[in-house]
Amino acid sequence: IKPGLGITVGIAAINTVPRRMIIQSVKEAPGVQLESSGMQVTISVPRGKELAKRTLNRRLGIVGGISILGTSGVVIPYSVEAYTASISQALDIAVASGCRKVILTTGRRSEKFAQGELTLPEESFIQIGDFVGHAIEECARKGLAKVVIWGMVGKLSKLAAAHFYTNVSDSTVDISFLAELAASCGVPDEKINELRGTGTANHFRRMLPDVYTRDFCNRLCLLAATKCRGKVDDRLAVECIMTDPKGAILGRASAGE
């Protein structure tokens, strides 16, 4: 285990609350008399080594099996609580490793693109999914100086409109908002009317004339960075970087630097 998880480095990756629950359960088991001779308890997870390959355990310094982390001792698979807890723990690792800047990515693909472009410690790269608001609030609370949000046009379009939970169930891309931004870049009215008929942010971006793409993407990134910085009362510098699905950088802008 790397420093920052609240567990002594070198011991099994079982958080304090789950560890306490295990000890209490052992004490309550029929016939157990710990006071006289103690007891050796083996904790195992079926297929733990295989399952760990599908998690971020290795990045947290957890090897040889899967972790039993969390703050409540109860895990609800794919729950909001589980995901946001993993983001907070990853940020703890980054801070404990001396990182002053972190790269928040919306998924594995965006993280791969970011790692190919930026030379930073592995602990600096944190996948946050749709939980941008939670992630930047945690970054500010933990005293980080700067965050870079790396994503594609759909997520950044939502951030630019101040939607900080970007799941489709909670927010949708406002095409009219994107059309107004495109118009401010000088896109002709006839093309704006055509763009208003697009159904997704990615379709909108692909329909933009090439001559306007860079300016549009930079402005969208600046809006997103500004809204994210405002979300934490300007306590962080925020940079937003947008790529296409193949990793080419389409736009970038910073707020607070």
Side-chain angles (χ1 to χ4, degrees):
I1 296 175
K2 295 180 180 179
L5 281 181
I7 308 171
T8 302
V9 174
I11 69 172
I14 305 176
N15 260 21
T16 302
V17 174
R19 185 180 295 270
R20 186 167 62 240
M21 294 172 72
I22 292 168
I23 293 171
Q24 186 61 36
S25 295
V26 170
K27 287 181 177 179
E28 293 174 357
V32 171
Q33 295 180 345
L34 295 178
E35 293 78 8
S36 58
S37 59
M39 178 175 290
Q40 181 175 328
V41 178
T42 300
I43 307 298
S44 66
V45 177
R47 298 178 55 245
K49 288 185 179 180
E50 296 177 34
L51 293 171
K53 295 176 183 178
R54 300 164 57 186
T55 74
L56 298 178
N57 274 193
R58 183 185 62 82
R59 184 169 301 174
L60 302 179
I62 299 166
V63 296
I66 198 165
S67 57
I68 303 176
L69 300 178
T71 56
S72 67
V74 179
V75 175
I76 303 173
Y78 305 109
S79 70
V80 170
E81 291 80 6
Y83 205 128
T84 54
S86 71
I87 292 170
S88 298
Q89 289 176 337
L91 286 169
D92 285 338
I93 292 287
V95 171
S97 300
C99 300
R100 295 289 293 149
K101 175 173 77 172
V102 293
I103 315 304
L104 307 178
T105 63
T106 54
R108 293 187 184 275
R109 184 166 50 164
S110 293
E111 182 178 79
K112 180 181 177 181
F113 298 154
Q115 289 175 328
E117 185 72 22
L118 304 173
T119 305
L120 291 168
E122 183 180 48
E123 294 84 4
S124 301
F125 296 90
I126 298 170
Q127 293 180 32
I128 62 170
D130 292 307
F131 301 100
V132 182
H134 170 80
I136 58 177
E137 286 175 343
E138 283 288 273
C139 287
R141 187 176 67 82
K142 296 176 189 297
L144 287 158
K146 178 180 178 179
V147 300
V148 176
I149 299 172
W150 191 295
M152 299 183 197
V153 64
K155 301 290 188 186
L156 291 174
S157 294
K158 292 181 179 182
L159 295 179
H163 296 299
F164 300 107
Y165 176 59
T166 58
N167 190 276
V168 67
S169 66
D170 189 73
S171 60
T172 57
V173 172
D174 186 342
I175 297 298
S176 294
F177 167 74
L178 296 182
E180 292 174 7
L181 182 61
S184 74
C185 297
V187 177
D189 290 344
E190 59 271 20
K191 188 64 178 179
I192 294 295
N193 290 332
E194 184 180 350
L195 289 167
R196 289 185 185 277
T198 58
T200 67
N202 189 46
H203 186 202
F204 186 101
R205 194 269 304 168
R206 288 189 287 108
M207 290 287 289
L208 268 176
D210 290 343
V211 67
Y212 300 106
T213 297
R214 176 64 67 174
D215 187 25
F216 173 84
C217 292
N218 284 343
R219 292 191 187 204
L220 192 63
C221 285
L222 180 59
L223 279 173
T226 301
K227 292 294 175 64
C228 287
R229 180 167 159 78
K231 170 74 170 171
V232 293
D233 299 321
D234 299 340
R235 288 179 288 160
L236 286 171
V238 180
E239 181 178 8
C240 289
I241 300 177
M242 182 197 304
T243 64
D244 69 10
K246 294 183 178 180
I249 294 177
L250 300 173
R252 64 192 303 169
S254 297
E257 289 186 314

